[in-house]
Amino acid sequence: MTDDRLIIAGREFKSRLWVGTGKYKDFAETKKAIELSGADVVTVAVRRVNITDRSKENLLDYIDPKKYTILPNTAGCYTVEDAVRYSRLARAAGVSDLVKLEVLGDERTLFPDTAGLIEAAKILIKEGFIVLPYTNDDPIVAQKLVDVGCPAVMPLAAPIGSGLGIRNPYNLKIIMEMIKVPIIVDAGVGTASDAAFAMELGADAVLMNTAIAGAQDPLAMAEAMKYAVHAGRLAYKAGRIPRKLYATASSPIEGML
Amino acid sequence: MQNAVKIHVNGEERAWRSGTTVADLLTELDIKTERVAVELNLEILDRAAFGQRQIKDGDRVEIMSFIGGGSF
């Protein structure tokens, strides 16, 4: 599948698995897990620098921005104002114009506030950002995000960190059929089969963090996810057989006694 | 003679000297300028301005960087 490249806003991505960098034991484990996953896009959060303990290492000392596409997010932002402020800070910190836009609506579910999301996307796109929005599995909202200029849409599979897997494959499928930009299934994946399923549905990529970082053996899970995403993509391209209620023999009748 | 001023850096009150710049503050805090963003009284500064922008009494400075994170 060497010609099967993912292109978003003119940028080419080698990997269809994107990973977050939170919740790992330490930076060494983060780095190793990312390497094993084969991901070339990694998400990071924007936070205050620890000014009292300067001995703390920097994540980007481990994750080389020349080797990976660093995708800053607006994780933890519940208002349009905050999401816009964090996006601007991320850009000022100097990685790129890319932002994974989150405007959250509720602390318990971490579901997106889709009205706020569209509003924030509009503001940021006007300022030249490449906005990749974390959104609900709602095809209409996904289309509105494309209409305001998002070059890809990132619908959730299930609540962030829940590990529930693909909760609404039919909505995701509708999004994939209706929306003419790349669809990255983001959040909710629990294990490798979930990632494969998302790709079989026709997702262009899958983004995950907790499923790898929270596994008992994050490094083994990182590798499992690499194969799952690859297998799912291949299966999607191959075209699965239709589901039928009754059996169809796979050996010929001819030649039987 | 530099006068003592009080500023807030990342939410913490600190004694500081007037007549110094954002770049001076970053140097004092041992923070490398690459990969940080600085917000001075809610205005995000260009990195090129760090050496020019003076810090005054009562200023609120936010120094932000990237940390590990997926979604929130």
Side-chain angles (χ1 to χ4, degrees), chain B residues 22-31:
Chain B
V22 169
D24 295 330
L25 177 65
L26 292 173
T27 306
E28 175 92 4
L29 294 171
D30 191 24
I31 294 170

Side-chain angles (χ1 to χ4, degrees), chain A residues 96-221:
Chain A
S96 73
D97 294 330
L98 282 171
V99 64
K100 178 191 154 186
L101 183 63
E102 291 182 30
V103 182
L104 301 172
D106 166 57
E107 285 183 28
R108 197 165 168 212
T109 59
L110 299 178
F111 280 143
D113 167 359
T114 51
L117 183 68
I118 295 166
E119 199 185 326
K122 264 192 219 170
I123 295 168
L124 291 168
I125 288 163
K126 208 174 279 175
E127 295 180 15
F129 282 89
I130 298 163
V131 176
L132 309 180
Y134 160 70
T135 184
N136 227 319
D137 55 8
D138 180 333
I140 307 304
V141 171
Q143 185 59 55
K144 286 188 177 184
L145 288 162
V146 174
D147 292 344
V148 300
C150 296
V153 178
M154 309 178 79
L156 55 83
I160 292 167
S162 69
L164 287 173
I166 314 295
R167 299 288 286 162
N168 197 341
Y170 304 104
N171 266 36
L172 287 177
K173 188 73 196 167
I174 290 170
I175 290 174
M176 286 159 198
E177 291 201 1
M178 270 179 55
I179 306 299
K180 301 298 172 213
V181 299
I183 303 299
I184 299 146
V185 170
D186 179 10
V189 164
T191 188
S193 53
D194 297 335
F197 185 24
M199 295 306 293
E200 285 168 2
L201 282 172
D204 294 280
V206 180
L207 197 164
M208 65 182 75
N209 189 159
T210 309
I212 297 175
Q216 287 190 31
D217 183 344
L219 303 184
M221 190 58 90

Side-chain angles (χ1 to χ4, degrees), chain B:
Chain B
M1 178 67 194
Q2 291 179 328
N3 297 314
V5 295
K6 270 192 181 142
I7 59 171
H8 280 85
V9 184
N10 286 6
E12 289 174 28
E13 195 179 80
R14 288 181 89 93
W16 190 239
R17 311 179 299 276
S18 65
T20 55
T21 64
V22 169
D24 295 330
L25 177 65
L26 292 173
T27 306
E28 175 92 4
L29 294 171
D30 191 24
I31 294 170
K32 289 185 217 117
T33 53
E34 72 265 23
R35 298 178 196 153
V36 296
V38 177
E39 202 184 64
L40 178 61
N41 303 323
L42 298 179
E43 179 200 348
I44 297 171
L45 304 181
D46 280 341
R47 196 163 285 139
F50 289 177
Q52 283 115 56
R53 287 299 287 266
Q54 302 269 323
I55 290 179
K56 292 183 278 302
D57 192 36
D59 276 353
R60 304 190 79 89
V61 187
E62 296 289 351
I63 306 164
M64 309 289 283
S65 187
F66 297 117
I67 64 146
S71 303
F72 187 80

